[in-house]
């Protein structure tokens, strides 16, 4: 059983009427934040309702959430927003926040929220056993953990088969080689996916070499950073550039698509998992935490434990073409298999260490002019 920190606020027993989440979102849009926060705070104190603030921008999680309610009788009330919106809301709401569980994408954001005191570190033997230490927050002195990775994604190199040799792009370091001048497309350097990759480079090759490498990337850009990962993949397929970085699930979406325009993209590109003969490909997590002012801590921990269970892990990861974070799970995703050849070597540096480098990396980006 989890044994969360004692909380000043005891769980309330009064009943409150909970509006369905769609109309709740409608209210939120129409009301000023403080008023909306009060309304929801009342609703979330209803027994048997768990309030989830989710930044997972993937439509396939619905069945998973329904499975939790079926298994436990605990209803979920979900607030969907982007990561920045969720963090801003948690800060504004403070102790009045109805949030019980927070789901965020990328270790950089999870660490930011942890550092800002928005999570309640918890002790859960089930989560500690399921999720490898390098995929969760560093435990505090009293053995509590602020967040847990629940699925993993790799940041890989995409290239134009006709224009680039695989051997020239099979490490992150090689992307800064002057021979690739004018060939590279990448989203903003300050995006958490890149901050995490660059933060991992600091762990692997040190800060000086990382900054020189970033300078090399800037020199090789085909265009100013813009768009998301999918835009970079499409830019490679259209010939605007010939090398790009992408998270694997964006690639899997294209590989699994039957749309003719996606088939054409898939035909043109190749994928390489970098650094297979050195420290491994950079992997990141999407993860979850108990909200700092949750009034339903045991149920919140139960929900995270459910997400780490084998059945949920398969669905959680497979639904969005990610890999399970829990150890030793087999699952069948043809696109991931096709991409990685079945398995690949991933880096072992703790994602929490990587995430802590983001402020330092941002300063490097500013110095080398990486927008
Ligand atoms: Fe994403």
């Amino acid at each position: 059983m989890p044994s969360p920190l004692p909380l000043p606020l005891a769980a309330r027993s009064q009943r409150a009427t909970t509006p369905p989440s769609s109309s709740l979102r409608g209210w939120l849009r129409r009301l000023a934040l403080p008023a909306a926060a009060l309304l929801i705070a009342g609703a979330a104190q209803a027994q048997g309702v768990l309030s989830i603030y989710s930044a997972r921008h993937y439509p396939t999680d619905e069945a998973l959430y329904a499975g939790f309610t079926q298994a436990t009788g605990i209803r979920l009330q979900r607030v969907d927003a982007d990561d920045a919106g969720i963090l801003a809301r948690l800060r504004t709401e403070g102790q009045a926040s109805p949030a019980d569980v927070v789901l965020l994408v990328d270790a950089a954001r999870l660490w930011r929220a942890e550092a800002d005191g928005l999570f309640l570190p918890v002790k859960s033997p089930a989560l500690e056993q399921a999720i490898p230490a390098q995929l969760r927050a560093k435990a505090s002195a009293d053995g509590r953990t602020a967040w847990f990775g629940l699925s993993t994604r790799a940041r890989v190199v995409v290239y134009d088969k006709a224009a680039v040799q695989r051997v020239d792009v099979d490490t992150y370091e090689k992307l800064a080689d002057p021979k690739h001048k004018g060939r590279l497309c990448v989203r903003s350097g300050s995006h958490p996916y890149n901050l995490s990759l660059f933060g991992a480079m600091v762990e692997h090759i040190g800060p000086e070499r990382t900054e020189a490498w970033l300078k090399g990337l800037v020199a090789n850009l085909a265009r100013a950073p813009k768009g998301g990962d999918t835009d970079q993949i499409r830019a490679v397929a259209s010939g605007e550039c010939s090398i790009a970085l992408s998270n694997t699930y964006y690639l899997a979406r294209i590989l699994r698509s039957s749309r003719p325009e996606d088939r054409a993209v898939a035909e043109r590109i190749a994928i390489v998992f970098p650094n297979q003969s050195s420290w491994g490909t950079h992997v990141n997590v999407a993860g979850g935490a108990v909200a700092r002012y949750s009034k339903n801590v045991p149920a919140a921990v139960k929900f995270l434990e459910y997400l780490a269970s084998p059945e949920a892990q398969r669905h959680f990861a497979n639904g969005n073409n990610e890999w399970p974070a829990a150890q030793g799970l087999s699952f069948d995703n043809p696109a991931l298999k096709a991409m990685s050849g079945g398995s690949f070597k991933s880096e072992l540096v703790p994602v929490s260490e990587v995430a802590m480098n983001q402020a330092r990396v941002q300063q490097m980006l500013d110095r080398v002019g990486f927008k």
Side-chain angles (χ1 to χ4, degrees):
M1 271 298 286
S3 54
L5 285 169
L7 281 173
L9 291 164
R12 311 293 167 82
S13 61
Q14 82 261 28
R15 307 281 300 176
T17 310
T18 312
S21 67
S22 59
S23 67
L24 185 73
R25 280 196 292 278
W27 294 1
L28 270 173
R29 274 194 292 273
R30 287 190 295 273
L31 290 170
L33 187 62
L38 277 178
L39 260 176
I40 302 178
Q45 283 158 9
Q47 277 189 326
V49 177
L50 202 59
S51 173
I52 315 292
Y53 280 22
S54 173
R56 288 181 58 82
H57 51 102
Y58 319 115
T60 46
D61 292 343
E62 296 295 336
L64 185 68
Y65 297 137
F68 177 75
T69 300
Q70 261 171 18
T72 61
I74 299 171
R75 282 199 298 136
L76 300 178
Q77 182 174 285
R78 222 166 77 239
V79 172
D80 293 312
D82 62 14
D83 298 79
I86 283 176
L87 298 187
R89 185 176 288 187
L90 288 170
R91 282 189 199 104
T92 308
E93 291 171 343
Q95 295 194 27
S97 177
D100 295 305
V101 171
V102 183
L103 299 176
L104 296 176
V105 170
D106 198 283
R109 292 174 174 133
L110 288 159
W111 179 82
R112 185 71 260 158
E114 176 191 1
D116 290 352
L118 301 176
F119 295 158
L120 181 74
V122 294
K123 181 97 190 133
S124 161
L127 282 165
E128 283 162 29
Q129 206 196 335
I131 308 299
Q134 77 268 18
L135 300 181
R136 46 182 150 99
K138 203 173 164 203
S140 60
D142 63 356
R144 293 170 199 278
T145 304
W147 50 265
F148 297 86
L150 294 166
S151 58
T152 70
R153 58 278 300 280
R155 197 141 184 79
V156 298
V157 172
V158 183
Y159 63 95
D160 181 347
K161 280 192 290 200
V164 176
Q165 297 287 317
R166 182 186 174 90
V167 69
D168 290 331
V169 289
D170 62 1
T171 70
Y172 295 111
E173 292 93 322
K174 286 180 184 176
L175 303 186
D177 190 305
K179 81 161 76 150
H180 296 315
K181 192 169 175 57
R183 289 176 149 185
L184 183 66
C185 272
V186 69
R187 76 191 301 165
S188 167
S190 302
H191 189 275
Y193 299 164
N194 281 335
L195 286 180
S196 290
L197 168 63
F198 305 159
M201 292 298 283
V202 171
E203 294 297 312
H204 294 299
I205 63 175
E208 289 80 18
R209 283 178 62 202
T210 298
E211 186 160 341
W213 174 72
L214 289 169
K215 204 172 177 179
L217 294 187
V218 172
N220 285 346
L221 288 177
R223 62 176 190 195
K226 63 171 182 180
D229 284 1
T230 303
D231 298 308
Q232 318 311 317
I233 301 167
R234 296 195 188 287
V236 169
S238 74
E240 191 178 0
C241 42
S242 51
I243 305 168
L245 283 164
S246 175
N247 279 358
T248 33
Y249 53 88
Y250 295 110
L251 283 158
R253 254 178 237 170
I254 288 174
L255 296 179
R256 293 179 90 170
S257 168
S258 52
R259 291 165 56 196
E261 58 270 39
D262 290 334
R263 300 309 319 144
V265 171
E267 284 300 312
R268 174 99 183 236
I269 61 169
I271 298 158
V272 58
F273 282 64
N275 295 72
Q276 291 301 286
S277 13
S278 57
W279 35 266
T281 297
H282 170 62
V283 291
N284 208 320
V285 294
V290 177
R292 175 69 186 87
Y293 297 108
S294 168
K295 284 94 182 163
N296 297 299
V297 176
V301 173
K302 193 183 275 187
F303 181 65
L304 292 178
E305 289 172 345
Y306 166 77
L307 292 182
S309 68
E311 180 206 358
Q313 276 285 295
R314 282 194 190 97
H315 186 101
F316 196 62
N318 218 355
N320 186 41
N321 298 307
E322 293 176 85
W323 284 271
Q327 322 188 54
L329 281 182
S330 63
F331 75 121
D332 192 33
N333 182 321
L336 294 184
K337 259 189 197 145
M339 225 189 298
S340 64
S343 65
F344 67 97
K345 178 180 176 183
S346 57
E347 65 183 358
L348 290 175
V349 57
V351 290
S352 58
E353 300 286 333
V354 165
M356 276 184 242
N357 289 333
Q358 62 184 298
R360 179 181 206 179
V361 165
Q362 185 58 60
Q363 289 164 11
M364 292 181 189
L365 294 174
D366 294 343
R367 282 196 293 269
V368 303
F370 197 143
K371 297 280 186 260

